[in-house]
């Protein structure tokens, strides 16, 4: 009886390890260049492309945030 449960746990462990290994080896899944809708006219929008925040405003907000983090230490 012990052999059956140990064999089951061993085979399930090997199965999970193999699934993880082959999942990580599949480069296509983690590649940002792979387009799942290849061959179709799909317009890809970049994140925050419609933002009206200028670089100078972004730097100003970043400085305010850094000053707040140093002075108030909210963490």
């Amino acid at each position: 009886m012990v052999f059956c449960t140990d064999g089951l746990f061993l085979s399930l462990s090997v199965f999970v390890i193999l699934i993880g290994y082959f999942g990580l080896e599949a480069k296509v899944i983690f590649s940002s260049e792979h387009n799942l809708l290849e061959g179709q006219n799909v317009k890809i929008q970049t994140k925050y492309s419609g933002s009206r925040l200028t670089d100078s405003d972004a730097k100003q907000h970043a400085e305010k945030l850094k000053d707040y983090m140093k002075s108030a230490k909210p963490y």
Side-chain angles (χ1 to χ4, degrees):
M1 186 69 165
V2 173
F3 176 74
C4 291
T5 57
D6 288 346
L8 179 65
F9 289 133
L10 179 64
S11 62
L12 286 175
S13 299
V14 169
F15 178 72
V16 169
I17 289 170
L18 287 175
I19 292 294
Y21 174 76
F22 287 115
L24 290 174
E25 284 295 311
K27 303 281 188 218
V28 176
I29 294 173
F30 299 107
S31 175
S32 62
E33 298 170 3
H34 181 70
N35 187 3
L36 295 176
L37 301 173
E38 198 169 310
Q40 298 178 6
N41 289 336
V42 177
K43 184 177 180 183
I44 299 174
Q45 295 180 351
T46 57
K47 197 171 185 179
Y48 305 116
S49 64
S51 177
R52 296 180 301 189
L53 184 66
T54 62
D55 287 338
S56 61
D57 287 341
K59 288 178 183 176
Q60 184 180 8
H61 288 300
E63 282 300 317
K64 283 183 183 179
L65 183 60
K66 286 179 188 176
D67 290 340
Y68 175 74
M69 293 298 283
K70 285 180 184 176
S71 63
K73 296 183 181 179
Y75 48 89

